[in-house]
Amino acid sequence: MRPPRPLTLGALVAVAALAGCATTSPDTAIDPVQQQLRQHTGATLTRWPDAQAPSAETQQRLRTLLAAPLTMDGAVEVALLHHRGLQASLADLGVTQAELAQTTRLPNPGFTFSRTTSGEEIEWERGLHLNLGRLLLMPLTRTLEGHRLAQQQAQTTQRVVTQIASVRRAWVEAVAAEESLRYLHQVHDAAAAGAELARRMAQAGNFNKLALAREQSFEADAVLNVARGERASDAARERLNRALGLWGDQLGYTLPERLPDLPATPTEQPDIERQALAQRLDVQAAKTATAQTARALGLTRTTRFLNVLEVGASRSVTNDGHRSRAWEVGLELPLFDWGDAKVARAEATYTASLHRTAEIAIDARSEVREAYRHWRHTWDIARHVQTAIVPLRQRIRDENVLRYNGMLIGVFELLADARTQIASVNSAIDARREFWLADADLQMAMLGRPTLSAGAAPASSAAADAGGGH
């Protein structure tokens, strides 16, 4: 009977050719993320070729964007070009791609050499061993790693989308803060002029102490509001700098003087829940994680009795020229550990994953409803302020100017009326700010978990209160 032939190097090469190899290039893992970003946001994320600096083309594009007043879309592009946190997320994808490539590599064989002496006989034995269990499970482990890479790609896309939403919110806050600060400086200039006029009239004996104190109090409040506005503007600017990933000489960029106008009409979205569930990245990531857990459960059940399986071949020769060949198979006997604990753990993990996926889907429905209603309410409020309150205040001011020209009221009555307009102007700025924040939240709610802030209190409340007593 012819003895079995041992595994040869040629056979191993044939197995390696059938197994195939995955590339270690990070671009392979990044391309699906790029496609999702272009599909959902129209944006493109640029990977740096060097960890120290972006490419020359990227640097030139960055200088072009920062040379002009930075728009919201321009701010998003700057973050995608320059934010280090996003670059780190892309590097993490490269790590997972390398781990996927590792699963396609054949396990290294083991080589043994021994020398045995028996009397005058000397025997040399050489052996070659291969982990057959790992070899047989390579297709399944490669599939699992592929699903893990897909899950991380979804998470990376969600991370980028979250950063885009943060940039939009920071940009709105920064532009609104600078716009409000410019108006507070105008209020302060008017208050300083009124206080100086009151002081001169008091020196001439034409103004009493109570009226003078009121004008001086209003000027003091205006100085305080300017200081608060500068603090708010600086903080908003720094939040935007962090969201963009800028530092050093890059911080000299300028912003538009005011926020964009409101849309002419609100958008009706009756099927917004269905759209959100179809494209929300956290829902997709949860589904991918559950599917991966299910496959891991199947792998655990398959290997519950078999953890170690090795195949080996050996060849020996004695000093008298006698040669012999042998092969062996080794496996672990499940005498004490039947794998039931591993299966129970995998089943519990799968059940928990199902519940978490359902929770994420339920929360997504609620979040997108809240985001849309908040968006619609802020549009209604901003529209009302823009079309009703501000025009009425403007009409009152025009009438008082006519009365002043006709010498029916004095300059201080005209100044007192101008102070009542402070609240309406600041209200209009705050209303537009809250609408564009809500717009950023709604865009985020369609792709991931939004911030859903109800909006801060108007920064002009102190100024409004100060002007209300005149």
Side-chain angles (χ1 to χ4, degrees):
M1 180 177 178
R2 186 178 180 181
R5 297 181 61 183
L7 290 176
T8 63
L9 181 60
L12 292 178
V13 172
V15 174
L18 292 175
C21 292
T23 178
T24 58
S25 173
D27 292 332
T28 304
I30 295 173
D31 286 344
V33 175
Q34 296 279 29
Q35 294 175 5
Q36 280 195 321
L37 284 176
R38 283 192 291 268
Q39 176 186 353
H40 295 304
T41 66
T44 300
L45 182 61
T46 302
R47 184 177 74 90
W48 291 11
D50 184 1
Q52 300 299 324
S55 64
E57 181 182 356
T58 299
Q59 294 182 20
Q60 179 58 41
R61 178 58 181 165
L62 187 64
R63 286 191 291 268
T64 301
L65 290 170
L66 297 179
L70 191 61
T71 63
M72 182 186 292
D73 292 338
V76 170
E77 186 175 356
V78 167
L80 295 179
L81 290 172
H82 198 262
H83 197 275
R84 289 296 187 110
L86 299 182
Q87 295 299 317
S89 297
L90 296 183
D92 290 337
L93 280 179
V95 174
T96 307
Q97 177 65 31
E99 293 174 349
L100 172 62
Q102 183 64 42
T103 62
T104 66
R105 304 310 193 251
L106 284 174
N108 291 324
F111 176 76
T112 60
F113 177 82
S114 64
R115 180 179 183 274
T116 305
T117 303
S118 178
E120 296 295 331
E121 185 180 53
I122 301 176
E123 180 181 0
W124 291 273
E125 182 176 351
R126 297 176 294 275
L128 187 65
H129 300 269
L130 184 66
N131 190 332
L132 185 58
R134 179 179 169 187
L135 184 63
L136 294 176
L137 292 175
M138 277 182 60
L140 184 56
T141 55
R142 179 179 180 179
T143 301
L144 291 177
E145 283 297 324
H147 288 292
R148 190 168 75 88
L149 176 61
Q151 181 182 1
Q152 185 171 355
Q153 287 169 338
Q155 292 173 350
T156 301
T157 307
Q158 186 176 354
R159 161 80 170 87
V160 176
V161 169
T162 301
Q163 186 65 31
I164 290 175
S166 299
V167 170
R168 287 171 175 161
R169 290 183 59 86
W171 183 89
V172 171
E173 294 281 8
V175 174
E178 290 191 3
E179 182 180 1
S180 179
L181 179 60
R182 281 191 293 270
Y183 179 69
L184 290 175
H185 277 294
Q186 296 175 6
V187 172
H188 171 259
D189 293 341
E196 177 62 20
L197 178 60
R199 185 184 63 81
R200 293 182 180 182
M201 293 185 66
Q203 289 178 348
N206 297 326
F207 221 52
N208 59 52
K209 294 182 178 180
L210 178 59
L212 175 61
R214 285 176 176 173
E215 297 299 326
Q216 291 174 337
S217 175
F218 180 70
E219 181 189 13
D221 288 338
V223 172
L224 178 61
N225 288 330
V226 167
R228 288 174 173 169
E230 290 176 345
R231 180 187 62 184
S233 179
D234 289 343
R237 180 84 175 203
E238 289 302 328
R239 286 193 294 270
L240 179 59
N241 292 337
R242 291 194 296 271
L244 298 177
L246 300 180
W247 65 284
D249 297 337
Q250 300 167 336
L251 301 181
Y253 62 91
T254 59
L255 293 173
E257 293 187 354
R258 62 191 303 273
L259 291 170
D261 294 330
L262 299 176
T265 56
T267 304
E268 300 294 338
Q269 299 188 22
D271 59 343
I272 192 170
E273 290 185 40
R274 181 185 59 80
Q275 295 177 15
L277 288 180
Q279 63 187 38
R280 277 199 43 155
L281 300 174
D282 54 346
V283 176
Q284 295 177 11
K287 290 180 178 179
T288 303
T290 302
Q292 180 184 0
T293 304
R295 292 182 179 89
L297 174 59
L299 176 61
T300 302
R301 286 173 174 168
T302 302
T303 61
R304 61 179 299 181
F305 297 119
L306 189 62
N307 286 328
V308 178
L309 177 61
E310 290 185 345
V311 62
S314 63
R315 181 180 181 181
S316 61
V317 59
T318 62
N319 58 343
D320 58 0
H322 177 72
R323 300 174 182 273
S324 63
R325 297 182 180 90
W327 60 271
E328 62 180 5
V329 175
L331 58 89
E332 180 183 281
L333 297 177
L335 297 180
F336 307 107
D337 185 3
W338 289 78
D340 54 336
K342 292 191 298 182
V343 173
R345 179 182 182 276
E347 290 176 346
T349 302
Y350 175 67
T351 301
S353 182
L354 280 177
H355 289 305
R356 290 193 183 96
T357 301
E359 178 191 16
I360 291 174
I362 293 172
D363 290 348
R365 289 178 177 271
S366 175
E367 287 166 357
V368 75
R369 289 195 304 266
E370 180 182 355
Y372 176 73
R373 290 169 183 168
H374 181 56
W375 180 89
R376 181 57 192 266
H377 289 318
T378 54
W379 185 91
D380 291 337
I381 292 171
R383 184 72 173 177
H384 178 72
V385 172
Q386 177 179 306
T387 60
I389 295 179
V390 172
L392 285 174
R393 295 292 186 182
Q394 181 72 25
R395 189 183 307 171
I396 293 173
R397 191 199 69 173
D398 294 341
E399 291 295 327
N400 278 320
V401 170
L402 292 176
R403 291 165 60 86
Y404 172 76
N405 292 335
M407 304 182 67
L408 298 177
I409 60 174
V411 63
F412 289 103
E413 287 81 2
L414 187 62
L415 289 174
D417 176 70
R419 291 166 194 160
T420 63
Q421 298 181 34
I422 296 175
S424 63
V425 173
N426 279 318
S427 178
I429 296 174
D430 289 334
R432 279 188 287 113
R433 176 182 64 85
E434 291 180 2
F435 169 77
W436 287 111
L437 289 177
D439 185 75
D441 290 342
L442 178 59
Q443 294 184 50
M444 182 62 198
M446 297 299 294
L447 298 176
R449 177 156 292 182
T451 303
L452 294 180
S453 62
S460 61
S461 58
D465 293 340
H470 298 283

